[in-house]
Amino acid sequence: MSTHGQQVSSMELMDKLVTLCKRRGFVFANSEVYSGLSGFWDYGPLGVEMKKNLERFWWDFMVRRRDNVVGLDSACIGPESVWTASGHVGAFNDALIDDKNSKERFRIDQLRYESEADAEAAELYALTWLNAGSNGDETAFWDGLKEQIGYYPLNPTTGKASRFTVPRQFNLMFRQQIGATGDAGQVGYLRAETCQPIFVDFDNVRITSRQKVPFGICQVGKAFRNEINPRNFLFRAREFEQMELEFFVRPDELTQKLQELGAADESGVPGQPGGTAPTMDWYQFWFSERQTFYRELGLPEDKLRVHEHPPEKLAHYAKAALDFEFEFPFGWGELEGVHHRGSFDLAQHQKHSGKSFEVFDDDAMALLTGSGMDKAEAKVLATYLPACIETSVGLGRMFLAVLTAAYFEDEQDTKHEGKATDIRIVLRLHPRIAPVTAAVLPLSKKLSGPDSKAYALYRELQDAGLSVEFDDAGSIGKRYRRLDEIGTPWCLTYDFESEEDAAVTIRDRDSLSQERVPIAEVADWLLKRYREA
């Protein structure tokens, strides 16, 4: 009998994850009875519990543990002016092409290329071609691309050459009519990212929460992108959830002057960069914090890597950017981005709205004047648009990454006729992420019922704040297997001896070890291990 287990490799794992999610109630295709809607997913009873646990795990790490980070929950729709200011209305476009033979539709970088660099070169070539207002000459476009990369790309589905249309611009925003149609109506957009409402609400949050720079605003919420070709299960969807932090810091012009004057700012938070730290120190700080988060979440180090964006590929407003990439069943893909956005976003919304987002930093003013600077000069430096460090992760992608890392198969003894062992599927989920923390399993129906001691234990554990299941149906072996498959860390078997010794047998999901624990101590036993996990 083996309890170590092994992970299933490559796309076989993706098929097994999708099947498991459907069979056990983690994730369903949206509107499946009507043939489904591509790029949209429904989280079932277990999936919604696990998703909320992931969100809570992130929120506790990013907000609850910190004095200088607060939360926001903004509307999912905003006026056109917000998304014009952010650049999404004018520039949030993909180069869309059609395969004339198969009638499939792709982004141009989704065709089959010999390297990722060639795919990026093709996307840049197409967008440049579109921005130049070039005509619809297919031969000229594709011959021009061949000159760029040395060959014609292939259909990604068939792996063969095909006839493609010239690209056309496709805006990924979902446009909405707000109110009555006609002149009285207003154009809005479903938000394409959760960060823009944070920038728009920056002053409201700063003033009402009485926060001083440096401080952060977190948001978890829905975002919507009309992807041309959603794919890879939860990895690329049209409706998804983001978990984002926008952390606002003093600009380098101010911190450099404070350093030159030898000013010592003692108002910082222990363990974080000081008040005279340059913005790149904050960027490195949040990069390190996100590394710590993934260690605590338990993602294997060999399945995580960091991709730093080279200077020539940064957005024009960005000073630095990196991605945490995870090895999904289909290959390496972006899990989270950490970006130094500068003051670009606040400046854009200040320009388009006419509302000032500048901060007067009275602490910095006191430091500057206390170091001998003229008051007028000090006021100019102490009045600024904060720079922003962003961390942004997709909740669905994190959900898929956690499932991928947790899925194991091993061989276990079985009582099935003609077989000595069979395959056990187990999700080795972190106890704080598992949708069910513990299950109470009466060995027999005779030990069950609403007035039983087993059921009383179940209610006691519920009252203690744990996610608990009560299951008295089927053989104990089948119940163990089902609970292993949904990632339940601990199973509590109430047997006939429990009536005599007032104890239950607690079985560990991963080691399969069993321990006899007095019923009066079970809640404390579970809570201790839950908190220490």
Side-chain angles (χ1 to χ4, degrees):
M1 179 180 68
S2 169
T3 61
H4 179 69
Q6 61 182 8
Q7 284 189 298
V8 181
S9 60
S10 70
M11 290 305 291
E12 179 189 4
L13 174 57
M14 181 63 93
D15 292 338
K16 290 190 174 187
L17 287 176
V18 173
T19 301
L20 174 64
C21 284
K22 170 70 183 296
R23 183 175 71 252
R24 291 305 187 192
F26 283 93
V27 183
F28 310 126
N30 174 262
S31 304
E32 188 176 23
V33 296
Y34 291 101
S35 301
L37 188 59
S38 178
F40 297 89
W41 299 95
D42 298 337
Y43 289 81
L46 292 178
V48 73
E49 291 293 335
M50 179 172 157
K51 185 159 69 77
K52 286 182 179 295
N53 288 344
L54 274 171
E55 177 184 332
R56 189 179 300 112
F57 194 93
W58 182 89
W59 193 265
D60 286 345
F61 184 89
M62 298 296 285
V63 181
R64 294 273 174 84
R65 295 188 191 180
R66 305 175 198 274
D67 296 332
N68 59 347
V69 178
V70 295
L72 177 70
D73 184 5
S74 67
C76 289
I77 195 166
E80 185 175 28
S81 52
V82 169
W83 302 102
T84 299
S86 69
H88 285 77
V89 172
F92 199 50
N93 300 308
D94 278 342
L96 168 67
I97 62 166
D98 291 312
D99 186 319
K100 289 186 172 183
N101 294 334
S102 69
K103 310 304 180 186
E104 294 172 291
R105 183 164 286 170
F106 304 102
R107 285 200 332 244
I108 192 167
D109 62 310
Q110 292 174 344
L111 299 181
R112 181 172 293 186
Y113 297 91
E114 293 178 3
S115 69
E116 185 177 333
D118 286 349
E120 292 177 355
E123 182 180 28
L124 179 61
Y125 170 76
L127 292 175
T128 302
W129 188 85
L130 285 167
N131 291 334
S134 300
N135 60 34
D137 188 332
E138 292 176 12
T139 301
F141 174 80
W142 292 103
D143 285 349
L145 177 58
K146 183 180 179 183
E147 290 181 16
Q148 291 279 323
I149 63 175
Y151 57 92
Y152 295 114
L154 306 176
N155 180 297
T157 305
T158 65
K160 298 178 181 179
S162 193
R163 295 175 59 232
F164 300 109
T165 64
V166 294
R168 60 187 184 275
Q169 282 194 337
F170 178 78
N171 192 281
L172 300 179
M173 298 281 286
F174 282 100
R175 192 172 187 267
Q176 301 291 315
Q177 185 75 30
I178 302 171
T181 58
D183 294 340
Q186 182 181 8
V187 173
Y189 288 88
L190 290 175
R191 63 188 183 198
E193 56 188 22
T194 57
C195 65
Q196 293 305 321
I198 292 177
F199 297 122
V200 171
D201 278 339
F202 166 75
D203 242 16
N204 286 333
V205 174
R206 178 181 65 86
I207 292 168
T208 57
S209 63
R210 299 181 298 159
Q211 290 285 345
K212 291 186 175 182
V213 175
F215 80 101
I217 304 173
C218 276
Q219 175 160 219
V220 178
K222 296 277 191 180
F224 306 83
R225 295 182 185 177
N226 197 11
E227 294 284 353
I228 295 167
N229 186 19
R231 63 194 189 280
N232 293 330
F233 193 29
L234 301 172
F235 181 79
R236 189 174 297 281
R238 291 185 169 115
E239 177 182 330
F240 54 97
E241 283 180 87
Q242 286 182 305
M243 302 189 292
E244 293 196 306
L245 163 73
E246 306 302 325
F247 196 83
F248 302 95
V249 300
R250 288 170 171 170
D252 287 328
E253 295 82 0
L254 173 58
T255 57
Q256 287 169 7
K257 180 56 69 174
L258 290 170
Q259 288 177 356
E260 288 173 12
L261 295 172
D265 189 345
E266 306 295 339
S267 63
V269 175
Q272 296 187 5
T276 59
T279 56
M280 283 302 294
D281 283 9
W282 283 105
Y283 173 77
Q284 291 297 330
F285 169 77
W286 281 109
F287 163 54
S288 177
E289 287 293 280
R290 298 309 297 151
Q291 285 182 309
T292 300
F293 172 85
Y294 288 116
R295 282 196 296 271
E296 292 188 10
L297 185 60
L299 290 186
E301 291 187 11
D302 63 348
K303 286 189 171 292
L304 273 175
R305 70 184 185 187
V306 176
H307 169 67
E308 294 196 35
H309 296 212
E312 65 271 14
K313 293 189 177 180
L314 292 174
H316 65 89
Y317 55 81
K319 191 171 182 178
L322 61 85
D323 295 330
F324 285 95
E325 295 181 336
F326 182 81
E327 190 177 15
F328 292 97
F330 52 82
W332 290 94
E334 179 188 344
L335 177 61
E336 173 167 5
V338 180
H339 308 119
H340 186 315
R341 298 180 70 106
S343 58
F344 172 79
D345 299 280
L346 290 179
Q348 284 294 103
H349 290 296
Q350 178 172 272
K351 174 184 174 181
H352 284 258
S353 70
K355 158 75 175 176
S356 174
F357 286 98
E358 289 187 335
V359 169
F360 175 67
D361 191 329
D362 50 0
D363 291 335
M365 181 72 176
L367 289 169
L368 293 169
T369 55
S371 299
M373 182 178 285
D374 175 75
K375 285 187 177 181
E377 185 181 356
K379 186 174 182 181
V380 171
L381 272 176
T383 305
Y384 56 81
L385 280 176
C388 180
I389 311 300
E390 174 186 81
T391 73
S392 176
V393 59
L395 180 51
R397 290 188 181 186
M398 186 182 291
F399 188 103
L400 181 56
V402 168
L403 279 182
T404 300
Y407 186 95
F408 282 81
E409 294 181 354
D410 59 24
E411 286 189 359
Q412 296 296 318
D413 296 338
T414 182
K415 294 183 179 179
H416 288 170
E417 188 174 350
K419 296 175 66 177
T421 64
D422 65 3
I423 299 298
R424 177 183 75 133
I425 297 172
V426 55
L427 289 183
R428 293 179 178 169
L429 295 170
H430 189 295
R432 288 178 60 189
I433 303 305
V436 178
T437 307
V440 177
L441 311 176
L443 189 61
S444 166
K445 286 278 190 179
K446 296 177 181 179
L447 302 171
S448 184
D451 297 325
S452 67
K453 293 178 182 178
Y455 193 80
L457 173 60
Y458 160 68
R459 294 309 300 265
E460 178 189 346
L461 297 179
Q462 279 189 321
D463 292 342
L466 294 168
S467 174
V468 193
E469 186 172 300
F470 186 86
D471 187 358
D472 60 358
S475 71
I476 193 69
K478 287 183 178 179
R479 283 181 275 171
Y480 281 156
R481 293 298 174 87
R482 186 185 70 82
L483 290 159
D484 289 341
E485 203 172 40
I486 66 173
T488 305
W490 300 289
C491 289
L492 287 59
T493 303
Y494 188 97
D495 54 30
F496 289 102
E497 290 183 16
S498 301
E499 298 284 284
E500 304 298 327
D501 65 4
V504 293
T505 299
I506 301 182
R507 171 186 178 271
D508 183 87
R509 175 196 65 202
D510 299 330
S511 68
L512 299 183
S513 63
Q514 297 190 15
E515 181 178 348
R516 197 73 175 172
V517 177
I519 291 175
E521 300 174 12
V522 166
D524 289 340
W525 190 98
L526 288 172
L527 286 169
K528 182 176 186 292
R529 283 152 181 79
Y530 178 85
R531 289 164 182 158
E532 291 176 349

